[in-house]
Amino acid sequence: AQSVTQLGSHVSVSEGALVLLRCNYSSSVPPYLFWYVQYPNQGLQLLLKYTTGATLVKGINGFEAEFKKSETSFHLTKPSAHMSDAAEYFCAVSEGGNDYKLSFGAGTTVTVRA
Amino acid sequence: NAGVTQTPKFRILKIGQSMTLQCTQDMNHNYMYWYRQDPGMGLKLIYYSVGAGITDKGEVPNGYNVSRSTTEDFPLRLELAAPSQTSVYFCASRDRAGEAIQYFGAGTRLSVL
């Protein structure tokens, strides 16, 4: 069984500053890893994913994440925050198999200060 | 490009009432999922389906029922609504192939009073 821990339920950053959202997981098999973003009153939108191959993955809107197997982590970063990055971010893990069920972290809400 | 469509967007129920949350996808995806989202809890899987006629329980199935008679539709039924079912409900779908990416609807916000 897998579990996902997102450190910090709220993160506040200044516009132009680094955004760092932490995600650690536990999984009995090599996982598929995802970051989703949810803007207010909207559904979830995929930011990026790791399945196999290169451990540094780039996503939409300038975000990237690095899969570190030894640390069981998949932290999300963006070098320079923009006001439009204010949203809730979810890390999710799938162990694959026939149903590809996702386990989600509790989410991190990002606010961006002008 | 409709994707995953959920109706209604908002609903208020009285305790003990029943309702069906509708979910339709036009991407011909085999896999469909229902989640509920509660503040500070992330998303929890209620039920899922790997194809028409096949459904299975997720993490929090109690109080809900589903059916999957067609590839496109995956309705979620609440038979006797309880305040604990106040939540935001999301439907998602994914293709059999590909890299396990789930595509989400915009959600249904349900209040049970």
Side-chain angles (χ1 to χ4, degrees):
Chain A
Q2 64 258 38
S3 67
V4 184
T5 302
Q6 290 184 238
L7 187 62
S9 58
H10 290 88
V11 169
S12 180
V13 298
S14 297
E15 193 173 19
L18 171 72
V19 179
L20 170 61
L21 305 182
R22 299 179 189 275
C23 174
N24 289 90
Y25 68 91
S26 66
S27 175
S28 57
V29 299
Y32 294 171
L33 299 161
F34 305 83
W35 277 99
Y36 281 87
V37 59
Q38 184 182 30
Y39 298 104
N41 300 314
Q42 296 187 24
L44 278 69
Q45 177 183 357
L46 182 69
L47 266 181
L48 49 78
K49 66 183 187 300
Y50 170 81
T51 53
T52 59
T55 57
L56 180 64
V57 293
K58 296 185 184 300
I60 62 172
N61 301 337
F63 284 92
E64 63 182 36
E66 186 171 12
F67 169 53
K68 292 188 176 182
K69 184 178 179 180
S70 61
E71 298 178 7
T72 60
S73 69
F74 191 55
H75 301 332
L76 181 71
T77 60
K78 181 173 180 178
S80 177
H82 190 271
M83 298 299 287
S84 61
D85 295 326
E88 189 162 19
Y89 293 79
F90 293 94
C91 181
V93 174
S94 173
E95 290 188 344
N98 292 327
D99 47 36
Y100 286 98
K101 291 182 289 186
L102 288 175
S103 294
F104 283 86
T108 299
T109 299
V110 173
T111 57
V112 182
R113 306 185 303 272
Chain B
N1 292 340
V4 179
T5 302
Q6 293 183 238
T7 57
K9 294 190 186 314
F10 304 95
R11 184 72 184 268
I12 298 174
L13 283 182
K14 294 182 179 179
I15 296 172
Q17 286 185 320
S18 62
M19 78 163 293
T20 299
L21 283 67
Q22 302 291 344
C23 176
T24 299
Q25 52 92 9
D26 62 359
M27 297 174 282
N28 200 33
H29 285 172
N30 296 99
Y31 297 81
M32 296 187 74
Y33 308 83
W34 273 106
Y35 296 89
R36 60 177 287 170
Q37 181 184 28
D38 300 301
M41 302 291 291
L43 280 74
K44 302 293 185 185
L45 182 65
I46 305 172
Y47 271 95
Y48 67 102
S49 170
V50 300
I54 306 170
T55 62
D56 207 347
K57 295 178 180 179
E59 186 178 358
V60 290
N62 292 343
Y64 307 95
N65 282 298
V66 294
S67 60
R68 184 96 181 270
S69 57
T70 66
T71 298
E72 295 78 18
D73 300 308
F74 190 40
L76 178 71
R77 179 81 177 167
L78 284 69
E79 290 294 350
L80 291 171
S84 62
Q85 294 177 305
T86 294
S87 188
V88 182
Y89 293 85
F90 288 101
C91 179
S93 73
R94 66 167 288 269
D95 195 1
R96 183 191 303 277
E99 296 176 306
I101 299 171
Q102 293 188 17
Y103 297 88
F104 285 79
T108 294
R109 188 174 298 273
L110 176 66
S111 294
V112 182
L113 305 175

